[in-house]
Amino acid sequence: MTSLARETLHDSNSETGGSTGSANFGERYSRQILFRGIGEEGQRKLAASRIAIVGCGATGSALAGLLGRAGVGTLRIIDRDYVEASNLQRQSLFDESDASESLPKAIAAARKISSFNSDIVVDPKAEDLVPANIEILLDEMDLILDGTDNFETRYLINDFAVDRSLPWIYSAAVGSYGVTLNVLPGKTACLSCFFPDSPHGIVETCETSGILNSAVNLIASVAATETIKLLVGGFESPNLRRTLLSFDLWTNEHAEISAGKPRAGCRACGEHDFVHLAGKGRPHITLCGRNSVQIHERQRPIDFTEMDRRLQPHGIVRHNDFVLKFWRDPFEMTLFPDGRAIIKGTTDTAVARSLYARFVGS
């Protein structure tokens, strides 16, 4: 169980978090230390804290940037995807060079954060969070932040967090709308209390409805502030919001639904039936706004140099240390070192699997 779950925090001299002994610590965070809700003691708690951000797209990159500048000592950034030009309108940590190199978002984000705050630890993980690796990727974290684009991963985070009594913050944005919820296991409602099952029918996505960067930044700002309240004050902080908050910036409509206590009979926090953590029926994932399918291979380490040689006769290939890109009209395959792949140009998992088997292996 982590320190926040026990409602205590790491010692401010922890070697695993950001530095509080650097000469410019007081100056760097002086305006934040002056804020009564944080102060010097709160700032040192932030420096000793460890958080995981799952997904580093629009909301995730905004969260990572805000909390990196705020001085959270260790940021573990987990993301399965790579940077594209269409991301730059709303994903604040990336630039055109990241997109041209198809850098994994976790790697690109870590580089940017390190360039403006070298005193903190940024731990990038260019991986997909799944039941098989969730314990490793979220080990020793004080708090989990949601920057994902799908309910499957959110339910997985919720199962893990409730099982470990670990706080997490749900956040989502699409169009001009954003929503966020603090989940304090055992004290407030969890995600499954509000949404017992994944949404059915037509669901808005960035691809179908677009997205305003201002909606992203609003929800990220709210979630980042709640993060700081949690890290400074723990579960019992009187200023923590205990509602599901939604806001539409275009229509100026907003709503809050009480999340003050768990729902009776909730599958996760009531019955402790962690079906997502058990990995039951986990499918291939169609990525938000990408017309893409992800192939979940993990026991196939890829030698990019050898794979480049093999694929040259069949299409256009290029690679760097982090990804290999292969274009064969009308498809684009992005291959990662662990064998995972994103096939762009289809939402048919059978087509994607066939392409992968043909050129990478069955």
Side-chain angles (χ1 to χ4, degrees):
M1 187 180 298
T2 64
S3 55
L4 253 179
R6 295 189 301 268
E7 298 193 62
T8 60
L9 282 155
H10 297 302
D11 183 86
S12 62
N13 293 318
S14 170
E15 294 179 359
T16 59
S19 170
T20 61
S22 60
N24 69 344
F25 180 82
E27 175 60 25
R28 175 186 285 272
Y29 303 113
S30 60
R31 303 307 187 269
Q32 197 161 273
I33 290 170
L34 284 170
F35 177 66
R36 184 177 299 176
I38 297 177
E40 186 172 349
E41 180 183 356
Q43 190 63 51
R44 294 188 182 279
K45 287 182 178 180
L46 293 180
S49 297
R50 301 168 59 89
I51 68 171
I53 300 174
V54 182
C56 195
T59 308
S61 63
L63 284 167
L66 288 168
L67 294 169
R69 292 184 186 277
V72 171
T74 297
L75 300 177
R76 179 170 294 165
I77 300 174
I78 304 163
D79 193 283
R80 66 191 179 194
D81 209 352
Y82 58 91
V83 183
E84 294 186 295
S86 63
N87 302 149
L88 303 181
Q89 167 258 347
R90 64 197 179 282
Q91 298 185 16
S92 55
L93 284 179
F94 310 130
D95 58 33
E96 292 178 354
S97 66
D98 299 324
S100 67
E101 295 179 48
S102 296
L103 280 181
K105 291 180 179 178
I107 302 296
R111 289 180 177 180
K112 292 297 187 302
I113 294 169
S114 296
S115 73
F116 62 71
N117 194 345
S118 59
D119 285 340
I120 68 172
V121 175
V122 187
D123 181 19
K125 302 290 185 183
E127 300 185 45
D128 188 21
L129 188 77
V130 295
N133 64 14
I134 190 168
E135 289 197 29
I136 296 171
L137 290 178
L138 299 183
D139 184 44
E140 297 184 347
M141 295 292 105
D142 295 320
L143 176 68
I144 308 167
L145 299 182
D146 168 28
T148 69
D149 59 9
N150 66 90
F151 265 87
E152 181 183 33
T153 305
R154 289 174 177 134
Y155 282 127
L156 175 62
I157 294 170
N158 190 72
D159 275 8
F160 180 85
V162 171
D163 184 42
R164 302 302 177 87
S165 296
L166 182 68
W168 77 282
I169 298 179
Y170 157 64
S171 303
V174 65
S176 57
Y177 173 85
V179 60
T180 184
L181 168 72
N182 298 333
V183 178
L184 311 176
K187 296 183 180 292
T188 68
C190 77
L191 186 69
S192 291
C193 291
F194 281 100
F195 309 109
D197 300 299
S198 296
H200 299 291
I202 298 174
V203 178
E204 288 189 332
T205 67
C206 300
E207 183 177 74
T208 60
S209 299
I211 187 167
L212 296 180
N213 56 21
S214 51
V216 170
N217 289 331
L218 171 66
I219 288 303
S221 294
V222 172
T225 305
E226 295 299 307
T227 295
I228 293 172
K229 293 177 191 177
L230 262 167
L231 296 177
V232 170
F235 275 20
E236 301 303 329
S237 174
N239 295 312
L240 274 174
R241 195 189 67 258
R242 287 171 166 78
T243 63
L244 176 75
L245 170 68
S246 63
F247 204 106
D248 190 313
L249 281 173
W250 202 256
T251 64
N252 296 309
E253 297 175 335
H254 66 279
E256 288 190 78
I257 303 172
S258 175
K261 59 182 180 179
R263 175 178 61 82
C266 172
R267 171 194 60 78
C269 63
E271 300 176 3
H272 288 194
D273 181 14
F274 302 124
V275 294
H276 297 276
L277 192 57
K280 296 177 182 178
R282 188 174 178 86
H284 287 76
I285 300 174
T286 300
L287 301 181
C288 168
R290 293 277 303 284
N291 187 30
S292 306
V293 171
Q294 181 175 203
I295 304 294
H296 298 280
E297 292 283 350
R298 281 198 169 69
Q299 305 301 322
R300 190 190 296 271
I302 302 296
D303 181 329
F304 283 168
T305 301
E306 174 60 20
M307 186 60 68
D308 190 310
R309 185 191 65 79
R310 286 174 49 190
L311 293 177
Q312 284 293 345
H314 305 289
I316 301 171
V317 191
R318 65 181 175 86
H319 74 272
N320 54 34
D321 291 341
F322 309 106
V323 294
L324 180 145
K325 304 274 287 189
F326 172 55
W327 290 269
R328 182 180 175 89
D329 192 52
F331 305 109
E332 173 189 304
M333 178 190 296
T334 301
L335 194 60
F336 296 83
D338 61 358
R340 185 169 58 88
I342 295 173
I343 313 295
K344 187 175 182 181
T346 183
T347 56
D348 187 326
T349 58
V351 170
R353 170 57 74 180
S354 176
L355 191 73
Y356 185 94
R358 180 179 178 186
F359 292 109
V360 182
S362 59

